[in-house]
């Protein structure tokens, strides 16, 4: 509690409050506008934060991440176009409520559910992260390798595009991560004489290409929609009625707790959380026939799980220094650029950042509640922005953002190549998130592996003799084998 109070002192400084508000507003904005998303917007702003204190920059980026979770529900409910992939489920019942004249109530249920979920998630984060950080101090190279391997295998298992496809993208990400100077010998690898590549393939231009440029290319294929059907909402219609409010209490609380613990799992946790919450609520509901036709539980539960999962994703980042989701990978990049190494020692070495960011998220939750409901009219008008005007602006900003990170043309080329690759990957159904996360986790995984082998004089037994590493590797093996076993067993059962 002392640390959290110190965090509020840091977060309540005028500069940090201002940048928390900017982050929350930008996050809502990118959540509302389908296209660039939180990763692209954070990548664009990375170069602009060099002059800011580290804690201020991280507070703003965190605001963009969890703010985008709020914003995605607006388009899902009013236009039936999810601003974020995590808002797909909200569109099912949210848009049906809007068509029945209950759009304002649906927006309120989403905003209040997000606020409650974010707060509950933060309370668990406040209690859980310090304990995990204490445990993580005991981690050595074998344990870090084992948890990185576990993360990548879980990511491959849960990406939703099939294990083989995800594993292929993970392998590609690990290969790209080897470009640059060898961390042990100092010799260049796969640089082909290019000096800019000696520092490795930077995460930021890759992220902007795979998510920003690829999205622009996909939207360019579609017909320009000048007049999207946007359901109008008046301020007086924002309050849910008694029945809607009563039916939303249970789903909000269940979604908050469920979403947080799903957020600890590597992969698209927010998306998994929303689908899991929706299925759970439909199973236990007294009115399952109303789902898909405007059930308030179908809005409150998934939106709560969505925001709580985003909060849960901060636990492995802050306590272990390992990102399990693309937005937290970009937060890791922002920390490293500002000379901060997240992980077990973050709480003791940089308490201002650790507790300041957590405290700012409490404040940001209140800001988002205040922003989302009164400014719904502004966001609705933004939805009418034609794609042929918005997309060129995004491309220009991506080019500026890629160049600003290291001031090299090589980064722009990397962004363009990864943008075209990301477009092609999506066309053939290959997931890009595993590639991006493998690019971040890969170098750490390689370093841990080689340090472990140096400690054991080349013997792989070090991964078996260390209890924690052994446990993690057994869990990883089970994650791969058990689903395959059940699949075979199910096929045999169907045949018989």
């Amino acid at each position: 509690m002392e640390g959290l109070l110190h965090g509020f002192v840091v977060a309540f400084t005028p500069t940090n409050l201002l940048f928390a508000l900017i982050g929350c507003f930008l996050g809502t904005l990118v959540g509302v506008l389908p296209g660039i998303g939180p990763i692209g917007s954070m990548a664009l702003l990375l170069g602009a934060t060099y002059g800011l204190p580290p804690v201020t920059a991280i507070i703003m980026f965190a605001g963009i991440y969890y703010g985008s979770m709020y914003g995605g529900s607006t388009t899902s409910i009013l236009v039936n176009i999810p601003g974020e992939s995590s808002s797909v489920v909200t569109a099912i019942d949210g848009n049906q409520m809007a068509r029945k004249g209950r759009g304002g109530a649906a927006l309120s249920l989403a905003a209040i559910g997000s606020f409650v979920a974010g707060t509950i998630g933060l309370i668990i984060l406040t209690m859980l992260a310090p304990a995990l950080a204490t445990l993580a101090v005991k981690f050595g190279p074998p344990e870090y390798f084992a948890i990185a391997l576990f993360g990548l295998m879980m990511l491959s298992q849960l990406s939703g595009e099939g294990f083989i496809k995800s594993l292929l993208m993970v392998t590609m990400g690990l290969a790209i991560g080897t470009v640059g100077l060898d961390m042990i010998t100092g010799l260049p690898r796969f640089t082909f004489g290019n000096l800019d590549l000696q520092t490795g393939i930077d995460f930021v231009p890759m992220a902007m290409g795979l998510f920003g440029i690829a999205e622009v290319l996909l939207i360019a294929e579609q017909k320009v929609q000048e007049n999207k059907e946007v359901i109008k909402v008046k301020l007086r219609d924002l309050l849910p009625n008694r029945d809607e409010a009563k039916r939303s209490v249970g789903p909000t609380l269940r979604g908050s707790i469920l979403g947080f613990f799903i957020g600890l799992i590597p992969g698209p946790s927010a998306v998994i959380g929303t689908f899991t919450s929706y299925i759970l609520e439909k199973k236990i509901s007294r009115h399952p026939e109303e789902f898909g036709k405007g059930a308030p539980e179908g809005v409150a539960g998934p939106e709560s799980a969505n925001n709580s999962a985003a909060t849960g994703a901060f636990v492995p980042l802050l306590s272990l220094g390992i990102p399990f989701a693309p937005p937290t990978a970009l937060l890791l990049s922002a920390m490293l650029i500002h000379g901060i190494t997240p992980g077990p020692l973050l709480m003791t070495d940089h308490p201002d950042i650790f507790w300041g960011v957590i405290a700012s998220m409490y404040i940001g939750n209140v800001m988002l509640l205040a922003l989302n409901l009164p400014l719904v009219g502004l966001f609705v008008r933004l939805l009418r922005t034609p794609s042929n005007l918005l997309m060129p602006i995004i491309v220009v900003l991506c080019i500026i953002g890629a160049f600003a990170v290291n001031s090299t043309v090589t980064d722009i080329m990397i962004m363009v190549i990864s943008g075209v690759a990301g477009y092609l990957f999506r066309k053939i159904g290959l997931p890009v998130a595993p590639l991006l996360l493998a690019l971040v986790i890969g170098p750490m995984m390689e370093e841990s592996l080689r340090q472990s082998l140096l400690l054991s004089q080349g013997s792989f037994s070090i991964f078996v003799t260390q209890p924690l590493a052994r446990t993690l590797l057994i869990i990883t093996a089970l994650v791969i084998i058990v689903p395959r076993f059940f699949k075979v067993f199910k096929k045999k059962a169907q045949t018989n």
Side-chain angles (χ1 to χ4, degrees):
M1 292 307 296
E2 186 182 340
L4 186 60
L5 288 172
H6 173 66
F8 276 110
V9 171
V10 173
F12 270 117
T13 59
T15 305
N16 290 340
L17 275 177
L18 173 64
F19 278 90
L21 180 62
I22 291 170
C24 290
F25 179 76
L26 288 174
T28 305
L29 204 61
V30 299
V32 167
L33 293 170
I36 192 167
I39 300 167
S41 56
M42 288 159 71
L44 285 172
L45 291 168
L46 204 55
T49 63
Y50 287 141
L52 295 176
V55 66
T56 306
I58 305 306
I59 283 172
M60 183 179 74
F61 284 129
I64 292 172
Y65 177 30
Y66 59 80
S68 66
M69 299 296 117
Y70 271 74
S73 61
T74 304
T75 46
S76 294
I77 292 167
L78 299 181
V79 198
N80 203 24
I81 299 173
E84 288 298 314
S85 56
S86 53
S87 300
V88 170
V89 177
T90 309
I92 299 169
D93 283 281
N95 189 251
Q96 288 299 316
M97 284 183 72
R99 290 182 183 281
K100 293 176 181 178
R102 303 302 298 156
L107 287 170
S108 290
L109 291 175
I112 294 165
S114 297
F115 172 75
V116 172
T119 305
I120 290 173
L122 282 167
I123 292 168
I124 303 172
L125 171 63
T126 304
M127 302 302 172
L128 194 61
L132 271 176
T134 305
L135 174 66
V137 173
K138 299 174 183 177
F139 274 43
E143 287 78 14
Y144 269 106
F145 171 77
I147 199 166
L149 183 64
F150 165 74
L152 290 176
M153 289 303 103
M154 281 292 286
L155 182 64
S156 301
Q157 197 71 34
L158 298 172
S159 69
E161 300 288 346
F163 180 70
I164 300 299
K165 286 183 179 180
S166 298
L167 196 60
L168 175 66
M169 299 306 280
V170 164
T171 307
M172 197 178 295
L174 291 174
I176 294 170
T178 62
V179 175
L181 294 178
D182 186 290
M183 60 192 72
I184 305 292
T185 64
L187 295 172
R189 301 185 298 189
F190 310 113
T191 59
F192 304 103
N194 189 320
L195 294 177
D196 293 333
L197 290 178
Q198 288 193 359
T199 54
I201 302 286
D202 202 279
F203 171 81
V204 176
M206 283 285 291
M208 282 195 284
L210 289 171
F211 284 88
I213 300 296
E215 192 69 33
V216 169
L217 292 172
L218 285 167
I219 291 171
E221 276 191 331
Q222 303 163 7
K223 280 190 176 181
V224 177
Q225 296 179 349
E226 297 292 343
N227 298 306
K228 298 170 187 171
E229 185 193 351
V230 182
I231 297 168
K232 291 182 180 178
V233 175
K234 294 177 182 177
L235 278 173
R236 66 172 177 266
D237 299 328
L238 287 174
L239 287 177
N241 59 38
R242 184 176 291 182
D243 180 57
E244 289 167 339
K246 187 180 177 182
R247 288 172 61 178
S248 299
V249 173
T252 298
L253 295 175
R254 284 188 291 270
S256 301
I257 295 167
L258 179 73
F260 181 85
F261 288 103
I262 288 176
L264 302 177
I265 300 170
S269 52
V271 180
I272 295 167
T274 56
F275 276 99
T276 308
S277 172
Y278 189 83
I279 293 164
L280 174 66
E281 295 307 324
K282 191 174 180 180
K283 289 274 186 188
I284 65 175
S285 175
R286 293 178 182 176
H287 313 280
E289 72 284 352
E290 290 185 22
F291 278 74
K293 299 174 184 176
E297 298 96 327
V299 176
E303 273 302 305
S304 302
N306 174 8
N307 282 268
S308 195
T311 308
F314 278 87
V315 174
L317 175 70
L318 295 176
S319 57
L320 299 171
I322 300 174
F324 280 168
T328 53
L330 214 136
L331 272 166
L332 173 66
S333 293
M335 287 183 176
L336 294 174
I337 282 172
H338 285 274
I340 308 298
T341 305
L345 300 178
L346 180 65
M347 196 192 312
T348 51
D349 292 351
H350 303 282
D352 286 6
I353 290 175
F354 185 89
W355 291 112
V357 169
I358 291 177
S360 76
M361 290 165 75
Y362 282 98
I363 300 164
N365 251 345
V366 179
M367 288 177 173
L368 284 165
L369 191 63
L371 278 172
N372 272 260
L373 296 178
L375 295 181
V376 68
L378 169 65
F379 297 135
V380 166
R381 281 194 289 273
L382 282 169
L383 285 171
R384 295 194 178 98
T385 307
S387 299
N388 62 336
L389 294 178
L390 189 63
M391 293 304 116
I393 295 170
I394 290 172
V395 172
V396 171
L397 290 173
C398 283
I399 292 168
I400 294 168
F403 184 77
V405 176
N406 296 310
S407 301
T408 65
V409 178
T410 303
D411 282 342
I412 297 175
M413 292 170 64
I414 290 169
M415 182 196 69
V416 172
I417 293 166
S418 59
V420 174
Y423 165 77
L424 294 173
F425 289 150
R426 294 193 196 189
K427 293 292 284 184
I428 59 177
L430 291 173
V432 294
L435 187 154
L436 203 59
L437 284 174
L439 175 65
V440 178
I441 297 174
M444 183 203 77
M445 188 175 166
E446 183 194 358
E447 186 179 6
S448 302
L449 174 63
R450 294 176 72 176
Q451 285 176 345
S452 301
L453 293 174
L454 284 171
L455 287 170
S456 65
Q457 297 180 342
S459 173
F460 283 91
S461 62
I462 191 170
F463 298 107
V464 181
T465 53
Q466 299 295 321
L468 190 53
R470 181 174 65 240
T471 305
L472 286 166
L473 289 174
I474 290 169
I475 295 170
T476 304
L478 290 173
V479 163
I480 299 167
I481 295 165
V482 171
R484 309 278 91 71
F485 173 78
F486 277 113
K487 199 173 179 181
V488 171
F489 182 77
K490 193 176 177 182
K491 275 186 178 179
K492 283 186 177 180
Q494 286 174 347
T495 307
N496 296 332

